[in-house]
Amino acid sequence: MALEAFTRSEPLTLGVELELQLLDTLDFNLAPRAQDLLRVLDRHPGAWDVKPEITRSMIEIGTSIQRAHGPLRDELHDLCRQLSRGARKLNIGIGGGGTHAFQHWSEQQIFPTERFHYISELYGYLAKQFTVFGQHVHVGVPNGDDALWLLHALSRYVPHFIALSASSPFVQGVDTGFHSARLNSVFAFPLSGRAPFVLSWDEFGEYFQKMTSTGVVQSMKDFYWDIRPKPEYGTIELRVCDTPLTVDKAAALACYLQSLCRHLREERPFEPTEDDYLVYTYNRFQACRFGLDGEIVDPRTKQRHKLRDDILRTLARVAEHALDLHSLEANDQLRESLFQGNDATWLRAQRQAGLPMPAVVQAASERWMMK
């Protein structure tokens, strides 16, 4: 099977996808109400999209193509209001967060589509364990070669987005000690992790053809990489973020990625190489485990840095690009969060204040629904 041509896209355009929790308002466990909510939201006013996810206690929303922080944030607020209004009609709640704090995977129900049933048959219990919730950000690129260059250039910044977005400290009622436990579930899939180091679309097409010839891969959807090209959209897709507890945070993360991509494209501060991945898994683990307090290794200099400090330096480096893209407010919000703590810190604070797990989930839901 040949790889499809890469669709030309306007550089640095943005699209955001958020996977969201559907909650029972009595006990704040997950509620298998996706079909009901999708029915209520059918023909909603707005350019955004809403669709099912792998289990019936999840939905995914996607924005229209955006170019700047203000309109992106406004659209996310609009979909938040409409989703919240639809959820209240059904007496359910909606929440962010990378994992639900106390749900058990064995209780989840696969959403009835052909692809989701195929995934369930292929991966067994991992499919239900995939009831985790992430934010995906698409960035427009003009061609496949540029997409692959940018994908690999971004690899050293993956820990930034993990730590800034981390919102999954609890799994099945237990504090895991991780800031992002969600990514441990993703990493269980055989085609997860990093993309192969190729820098031309022709070479990637050869790799794709080899993979499809083995029968392991049928389409690009079968790759669960941290960053992957999306040729049908003309984008690269960053997939490491937990779903934040607020849509404001989701917009800020997307626009930080946009300004970072502009910095990399226009200034070319380095050329990506295979050696950039020597410490990739270690740095990724540090961000998942310790969040903003993690320690990462520079793949070129081999020096160690506090992740929080590396993000601060990068925010300063991309400030001019953020200004040109009208997203300084987004970067300022993330800078403040470096000292306030990420969403995992907020969730732990609710628990440490004495709230039982259902009340922690309720508080997070009220935050997302802007009550």
Side-chain angles (χ1 to χ4, degrees), residues 180-310:
S180 177
R182 164 186 161 269
L183 282 173
N184 294 328
S185 296
V186 178
F187 216 43
F189 284 77
L191 298 173
S192 61
R194 49 157 289 198
F197 188 77
V198 295
L199 290 172
S200 77
W201 195 244
D202 287 343
E203 189 178 358
F204 185 82
E206 293 173 7
Y207 165 83
F208 181 81
Q209 194 164 16
K210 289 177 183 177
M211 290 298 292
T212 55
S213 70
T214 67
V216 174
V217 168
Q218 295 183 2
S219 73
M220 286 296 298
K221 289 182 178 180
D222 294 321
F223 295 116
Y224 292 89
W225 296 328
D226 293 343
I227 314 175
R228 69 182 180 187
K230 291 289 285 183
E232 67 270 35
Y233 296 153
T235 66
I236 57 169
E237 178 188 16
L238 179 74
R239 299 168 50 82
V240 297
C241 294
D242 286 357
T243 296
L245 299 184
T246 65
V247 292
D248 286 336
K249 184 74 168 285
L253 287 164
C255 291
Y256 175 43
L257 178 62
Q258 183 189 40
S259 58
L260 181 56
C261 287
R262 190 174 191 263
H263 161 69
L264 292 171
R265 279 170 46 86
E266 295 192 1
E267 299 185 30
R268 297 256 175 165
F270 58 87
E271 289 298 321
T273 70
E274 178 66 49
D275 283 354
D276 289 347
Y277 290 100
L278 289 172
V279 293
Y280 182 83
T281 303
Y282 173 82
N283 289 348
R284 187 183 188 276
F285 170 80
Q286 283 281 316
C288 290
R289 173 69 175 86
F290 302 109
L292 297 167
D293 293 323
E295 185 177 77
I296 59 172
V297 179
D298 187 302
R300 300 297 173 88
T301 67
K302 312 302 186 288
Q303 293 181 331
R304 293 175 180 267
H305 304 286
K306 289 292 185 183
L307 184 47
R308 180 180 282 103
D309 295 339
D310 200 59

Side-chain angles (χ1 to χ4, degrees), residues 4-305:
E4 63 188 290
F6 196 93
T7 302
R8 181 174 179 81
S9 181
E10 181 185 336
L12 303 176
T13 47
L14 289 173
V16 172
E17 297 165 343
L18 295 173
E19 296 163 342
L20 298 168
Q21 306 180 26
L22 306 185
L23 303 164
D24 188 310
T25 52
L26 293 177
D27 60 7
F28 283 90
N29 202 345
L30 289 178
R33 303 291 301 278
Q35 288 166 296
D36 298 330
L37 184 58
L38 290 170
R39 196 175 302 116
V40 167
L41 293 170
D42 188 35
R43 299 178 184 175
H44 64 80
W48 48 270
D49 180 44
V50 57
K51 59 187 179 182
E53 252 301 336
I54 189 163
T55 60
R56 293 177 59 203
S57 298
M58 313 171 65
I59 58 167
E60 180 182 274
I61 58 94
T63 68
S64 61
I65 297 171
Q66 296 291 333
R67 293 168 179 79
H69 176 243
L72 172 61
R73 182 189 55 201
D74 291 347
E75 184 174 45
L76 285 168
H77 274 272
D78 174 61
L79 67 85
C80 180
R81 284 191 294 268
Q82 291 195 49
L83 260 66
S84 298
R85 192 179 305 127
R88 290 188 188 102
K89 289 180 181 178
L90 299 170
N91 197 29
I92 59 175
I94 297 181
T99 57
H100 183 275
F102 60 89
Q103 67 93 14
H104 286 264
W105 64 266
S106 60
E107 299 171 355
Q108 300 313 311
Q109 304 169 23
I110 300 297
F111 193 93
T113 69
E114 183 178 346
R115 175 163 175 79
F116 292 150
H117 281 305
Y118 164 76
I119 292 172
S120 179
E121 289 293 321
L122 178 62
Y123 291 114
Y125 83 104
L126 290 179
K128 290 187 177 182
Q129 281 206 333
F130 210 39
T131 306
V132 291
F133 309 85
Q135 172 178 349
H136 304 162
V137 184
H138 291 262
V139 179
V141 283
N143 57 65
D145 290 356
D146 284 0
L148 292 169
W149 186 93
L150 188 57
L151 181 157
H152 292 297
L154 283 169
S155 67
R156 63 173 60 190
Y157 301 99
V158 160
H160 290 205
F161 292 93
I162 294 173
L164 286 165
S165 69
S167 60
S168 52
F170 304 122
V171 173
Q172 295 191 169
V174 175
D175 189 330
T176 64
F178 278 70
H179 281 240
S180 177
R182 164 186 161 269
L183 282 173
N184 294 328
S185 296
V186 178
F187 216 43
F189 284 77
L191 298 173
S192 61
R194 49 157 289 198
F197 188 77
V198 295
L199 290 172
S200 77
W201 195 244
D202 287 343
E203 189 178 358
F204 185 82
E206 293 173 7
Y207 165 83
F208 181 81
Q209 194 164 16
K210 289 177 183 177
M211 290 298 292
T212 55
S213 70
T214 67
V216 174
V217 168
Q218 295 183 2
S219 73
M220 286 296 298
K221 289 182 178 180
D222 294 321
F223 295 116
Y224 292 89
W225 296 328
D226 293 343
I227 314 175
R228 69 182 180 187
K230 291 289 285 183
E232 67 270 35
Y233 296 153
T235 66
I236 57 169
E237 178 188 16
L238 179 74
R239 299 168 50 82
V240 297
C241 294
D242 286 357
T243 296
L245 299 184
T246 65
V247 292
D248 286 336
K249 184 74 168 285
L253 287 164
C255 291
Y256 175 43
L257 178 62
Q258 183 189 40
S259 58
L260 181 56
C261 287
R262 190 174 191 263
H263 161 69
L264 292 171
R265 279 170 46 86
E266 295 192 1
E267 299 185 30
R268 297 256 175 165
F270 58 87
E271 289 298 321
T273 70
E274 178 66 49
D275 283 354
D276 289 347
Y277 290 100
L278 289 172
V279 293
Y280 182 83
T281 303
Y282 173 82
N283 289 348
R284 187 183 188 276
F285 170 80
Q286 283 281 316
C288 290
R289 173 69 175 86
F290 302 109
L292 297 167
D293 293 323
E295 185 177 77
I296 59 172
V297 179
D298 187 302
R300 300 297 173 88
T301 67
K302 312 302 186 288
Q303 293 181 331
R304 293 175 180 267
H305 304 286

